[in-house]
Amino acid sequence: MSLQIEHLSFAYREHRVLKDISFSLNLGEFLSVLGPNGVGKSTLFRCILGLLDGYTGSITSHGENLASMSRREMSRRIAYIPQLHSPPFSYTVLDSVLMGTTRQLSAFAQPKKAQIMQAMEALERVGAAHLAERDFSRLSGGEQQLTLVARAIAQQAEILVMDEPTSALDYGNQLRILQLVRDLSREGYAVLISMHNPQHAMTFSSRILALMDGRVAAEGKPEEIMTAELIQKLYGVDVDFMHTQNGRVLVPVIGARA
Amino acid sequence: MRTEQNHRSGMTRSARRALICFAVLCAALTGLFLFSFVVGRYDVPITQVIRILLGRFLPLEETWTANMRAVVLNVRLPRIALACMVGSCLALAGTAYQSVFQNPMAAPDILGASSGACFGAALAILLGFVRGGVTMMAFLFSMLTIALVYLIGSRTRGKRSVSILLAGVMVSSLFSSGTSYIKLVADPSNELPAITYWLMGSLSGARGSDVCFALVPMLIGTVPLLLLRWRINILTLGEEEAATLGVHTGRLRLAVVLCATFLTAASVAVSGMIGWVGLVIPHLCRKLVGNDCRYLLPTSMVMGAGFLLLVDNLSRNLMATEIPIGILTAFIGAPFFIYLMTRKENML
C-alpha cells in the first residue's frame, strides 16, 4: 500500500477537525478528496505531508510510519504540489524545477549535471521545456502550475499530493493540468488531490473520498458514490445527473422560486 | 536545439550572465583595491604600491622608501582590508537575512544587530573600557540582540518572517533608547564625543589587530553561508514548501541566521554603525544576477567590498577632515535605494 491512513484524528486545541479518518492509496490511483470549505481537507493533507504533528492514528507508506521519518526520507516518498502563490523572490523555471532534486543532495552540495538533466526531463514531461530560461514570476498561472508539477516529477517521489491545485486557473488550464496529473497517475504515480469542483472529481478520479464534519462521508468509485444525495449532503445544493456520450454530467438545479 | 545543448552542458543563459557579472565585478574590485593605495595625502606611485605588496611574498629589489612602505603596509593596507571585509560581510549578511526571512526589507540594521552593537559599544565606553573591550562588547551585544529578536519572533503566532522583523524593530528601538540614555549620562568632555564618533561609524585608525580580530568570526560566518547557498534558495519558498522538498527548515534557518549575525556583529564591532550596505547592495545584486543564491551571495560579497572601499576612499579624501563613513553610506545608500524602488521594473 503506497499510503495508508488509519484512524487519523486531529484537533486544534479543543476544536476537533479530523475524526477517525481511514483510507488507503495505491500506485496508479487518482484519489480526489471532496468536501465543503473548512471540512479539514487542508488539515488532512498537512498531516500527511508531515507539516502538523500531534495527530492520533497512523500514516504509513509501505508499512513504514511517516511520523518517524526524517524530512529527507519523507520527500523521497511524497511530493507536494502547492497552490499558486507568489514567493518574494523568483527564479528561472529551470532553477525552480531543480529545487525538486534537492533531496538528492547533501546540505553543502550544489545541483550537478545529473540533477539538471532530471529537471529538464521533468520539464519535457509536462511539455514546458521551452519555458526553462523564463522567469517564474512572469509566467501565466497555467505555466506556473506546470512548473510546480514538473518540480514534483523531478523530486522522483511516488506519491503526488495536490491541495486544490487548480483554484487559481482558468477553465482550460484547470482541465489541462488535471488531465496531465491523471496521465501521471496512469503512469504509476499515486495521486492524492483535493478539489472544489465535483464535476472534475467525477471526470478524472479513479476514486473519490468525500469528507463531511471531519469524517469520511463516502468513499468509492465516482460512478458508485456520486449521487444527488451526496452532493446535497456535502454542499447543500440540488443537482441532476445527465448521461452524455462523454460520461456523466452534473447539472445544478437552480430553484425557479429564487 | 541550442538551448537544449546549453542545459545539457549545465549552463543556462542567466547563469552565464551571472558569471560574467561576477567576473567583471572581481576585476573592478581588484583595480579599486590597488587604486585605493595611491589616493591619500602621502603620494605613493602605483608601481611602487604593487612592488611593496608583492615584496611581502617575493624577493624584490627595494626601490621604495621606508616611509612609502609604512604608509602602504601599516596605514593603508589595514584600512583597505577592513573596508573590503566589512563591506562584503554586511552585504552577505543582508542577502542571507532577506532570503531566510523571505522579506526584501530584512537587513542587519532593521533586525537590530547594529543597534545592539551600538549599545554595547556605548556601554563599554561609559565603563571606561579600552579599544579592544569596546569591540568585544559591541560584538557580544549584537549577538545578544539577534538572539532576543529570534526568541521573541519564534514565540509569537502568525507568519514568522513578519513577526521576526517586527521583533527586530521593537528590540532595536529598545536598545536605541538605551544608547540615548548612556549618551545622556556620559561625561560630555571625553566619553560623549567618543560614543558619538563610534556611532557614526568609521574605518579611520584601522589597525592590523582589528583585521585579525574580525577575520575569525567573519570566516566562521562566511564559509557556511557560501556552502549552504543552494539550500538558502529553497528557504525562500516558505516553511511548508521547503519542508516538503526535504529540507530541515528550522535547523537551516537557525544556521543561516547565526552565520549572518556573526558577520554583522564582527563588522559593526570593528567599524561602528555603517548602515544601508546590507540593504542596498543585495538589491542591486538581485537586479544584476537574479535571486539565485548560488550566484547572488558571491556577487553581493564582491559588490559590497567594492562599494565600501569606494565610499571609504571618498570619506578620507573628499574633504580636509575625514567624513565618518556611516554618514556617507546613508547619503549614497538612501537615494540609491529610492531610485531602485521607483524604477519601472520594481521588485519591492
Side-chain angles (χ1 to χ4, degrees):
Chain A
M1 212 55 80
S2 189
L3 188 67
Q4 178 107 37
I5 282 106
E6 282 171 303
H7 306 297
L8 178 71
S9 297
F10 182 84
Y12 289 105
R13 302 195 181 210
E14 298 301 293
H15 180 55
R16 291 176 67 204
V17 184
L18 303 175
K19 300 162 193 164
D20 195 28
I21 288 180
S22 299
F23 65 93
S24 61
L25 177 67
N26 282 312
L27 293 181
E29 273 193 309
F30 186 117
L31 176 62
S32 297
V33 180
L34 285 181
N37 284 336
V39 76
K41 292 179 298 238
S42 294
T43 306
L44 171 66
F45 282 23
R46 294 180 67 205
C47 286
I48 293 171
L49 291 166
L51 300 173
L52 278 179
D53 31 84
Y55 58 77
T56 59
S58 72
I59 304 174
T60 55
S61 173
H62 299 288
E64 285 178 72
N65 206 326
L66 290 191
S68 58
M69 284 186 191
S70 70
R71 283 257 156 260
R72 178 179 276 194
E73 278 177 86
M74 288 275 295
S75 64
R76 194 169 60 83
R77 295 171 196 255
I78 304 181
Y80 173 54
I81 300 169
Q83 285 183 25
L84 285 189
H85 61 110
S86 38
F89 302 117
S90 168
Y91 303 90
T92 65
V93 168
L94 182 62
D95 286 342
S96 303
V97 176
L98 206 47
M99 290 182 188
T101 67
T102 302
R103 66 164 186 84
Q104 307 168 12
L105 303 166
S106 71
F108 289 154
Q110 321 296 325
K112 313 244 164 21
K113 218 168 154 182
Q115 280 78 35
I116 293 172
M117 299 276 277
Q118 284 170 23
M120 272 317 286
E121 276 161 25
L123 273 173
E124 274 156 28
R125 173 62 194 85
V126 303
H130 60 289
L131 300 174
E133 303 259 7
R134 298 266 301 276
D135 188 279
F136 182 80
S137 64
R138 297 181 185 221
L139 301 179
S140 72
E143 291 168 335
Q144 290 189 341
Q145 195 68 62
L146 275 183
T147 305
L148 294 177
V149 174
R151 187 179 80 187
I153 294 174
Q155 198 172 328
Q156 300 184 333
E158 60 178 32
I159 305 170
L160 301 180
V161 173
M162 308 174 83
D163 194 1
E164 276 152 19
T166 56
S167 49
L169 301 182
D170 68 39
Y171 184 66
N173 279 323
Q174 286 183 0
L175 293 178
R176 278 187 285 272
I177 290 285
L178 289 173
Q179 198 177 347
L180 168 67
V181 175
R182 188 199 50 193
D183 291 347
L184 289 173
S185 77
R186 287 181 178 168
E187 284 166 27
Y189 286 96
V191 174
L192 179 65
I193 184 167
S194 71
M195 285 209 215
H196 276 313
N197 189 331
Q199 177 66 60
H200 287 165
M202 276 167 57
T203 309
F204 293 102
S205 313
S206 56
R207 209 143 51 85
I208 292 175
L209 181 78
L211 295 184
M212 190 65 205
D213 293 330
R215 293 180 196 280
V216 178
E219 194 213 331
K221 290 199 159 82
E223 57 274 20
E224 289 166 3
I225 68 155
M226 290 301 271
T227 59
E229 292 76 44
L230 182 69
I231 300 292
Q232 170 63 38
K233 186 178 173 191
L234 293 181
Y235 302 106
V237 289
D238 290 320
V239 292
D240 259 344
F241 286 93
M242 286 173 57
H243 292 269
T244 72
Q245 61 190 47
N246 291 317
R248 219 150 63 107
V249 183
L250 189 145
V251 188
V253 181
I254 307 297
R257 279 167 295 155
Chain B
M1 279 183 68
R2 260 221 55 219
T3 50
E4 192 87 337
Q5 269 163 6
N6 288 345
H7 300 139
R8 300 288 178 227
S9 69
M11 203 49 152
T12 60
R13 223 183 309 140
S14 55
R16 204 170 315 119
R17 195 188 120 111
L19 281 180
I20 292 170
C21 261
F22 181 67
V24 169
L25 283 171
C26 283
L29 178 63
T30 313
L32 185 64
F33 181 80
L34 291 175
F35 174 73
S36 302
F37 285 95
V38 179
V39 292
R41 228 167 289 159
Y42 188 89
D43 270 332
V44 186
I46 184 98
T47 48
Q48 296 298 351
V49 169
I50 296 173
R51 287 182 67 88
I52 292 170
L53 288 176
L54 288 179
R56 297 271 288 164
F57 311 104
L58 303 172
L60 288 184
E61 188 194 338
E62 273 200 43
T63 56
W64 54 85
T65 65
N67 274 349
M68 282 184 186
R69 193 187 141 86
V71 165
V72 168
L73 290 183
N74 300 342
V75 180
R76 290 187 188 159
L77 180 60
R79 181 162 184 166
I80 290 168
L82 209 59
C84 290
M85 284 159 61
V86 169
S88 73
C89 286
L90 287 176
L92 178 60
T95 314
Y97 281 135
Q98 286 172 8
S99 297
V100 86
F101 295 125
Q102 300 161 53
N103 194 319
M105 277 310 290
D109 340 11
I110 289 163
L111 287 167
S114 310
S115 57
C118 288
F119 178 79
L123 190 65
I125 294 170
L126 183 75
L127 297 175
F129 284 22
V130 286
R131 195 183 164 117
V134 175
T135 309
M136 205 61 214
M137 284 279 277
F139 183 76
L140 288 179
F141 269 87
S142 181
M143 298 289 290
L144 183 79
T145 321
I146 291 285
L148 213 57
V149 168
Y150 201 82
L151 267 178
I152 297 171
S154 55
R155 264 159 195 272
T156 49
R157 268 169 294 163
K159 227 181 151 196
R160 190 170 313 167
S161 53
V162 178
S163 56
I164 286 191
L165 274 190
L166 285 177
V169 172
M170 298 308 149
V171 174
S172 185
S173 123
L174 205 63
F175 277 99
S176 298
S177 337
T179 309
S180 297
Y181 182 72
I182 291 178
K183 282 160 94 176
L184 186 73
V185 298
D187 180 350
S189 60
N190 49 36
E191 287 164 6
L192 186 59
I195 293 174
T196 310
Y197 192 71
W198 199 93
L199 291 184
M200 283 189 290
S202 174
L203 293 166
S204 70
R207 291 177 304 194
S209 61
D210 294 326
V211 176
C212 295
F213 173 85
L215 197 61
V216 176
M218 282 179 175
L219 281 178
I220 292 176
T222 304
V223 173
L225 281 182
L226 286 181
L227 287 172
L228 286 168
R229 61 196 196 278
W230 171 253
R231 299 233 147 185
I232 297 175
N233 282 342
I234 316 280
L235 272 186
T236 66
L237 299 176
E239 185 86 3
E240 306 207 328
E241 239 175 288
T244 60
L245 289 171
V247 172
H248 282 274
T249 48
R251 266 189 241 166
L252 180 60
R253 181 183 301 105
L254 188 64
V256 173
V257 170
L258 211 59
C259 290
T261 303
F262 250 68
L263 292 176
T264 312
S267 306
V268 184
V270 290
S271 67
M273 181 95 163
I274 297 180
W276 289 97
V277 180
L279 187 62
V280 174
I281 300 298
H283 278 282
L284 184 59
C285 292
R286 284 180 194 279
K287 300 261 186 206
L288 283 177
V289 301
N291 292 317
D292 185 349
C293 286
R294 284 178 294 170
Y295 309 108
L296 179 62
L297 294 190
T299 309
S300 295
M301 289 185 70
V302 177
M303 179 80 94
F307 174 75
L308 207 62
L309 188 54
L310 187 70
V311 177
D312 189 47
N313 284 341
L314 291 178
S315 114
R316 66 188 168 99
N317 292 304
L318 210 55
M319 290 205 257
T321 55
E322 168 149 350
I323 313 167
I325 191 169
I327 297 180
L328 274 184
T329 54
F331 267 143
I332 299 169
F336 184 69
F337 195 66
I338 293 170
Y339 163 73
L340 279 185
M341 274 170 64
T342 51
R343 253 172 39 141
K344 262 219 181 81
E345 230 185 303
N346 73 331
M347 69 184 300
L348 280 179

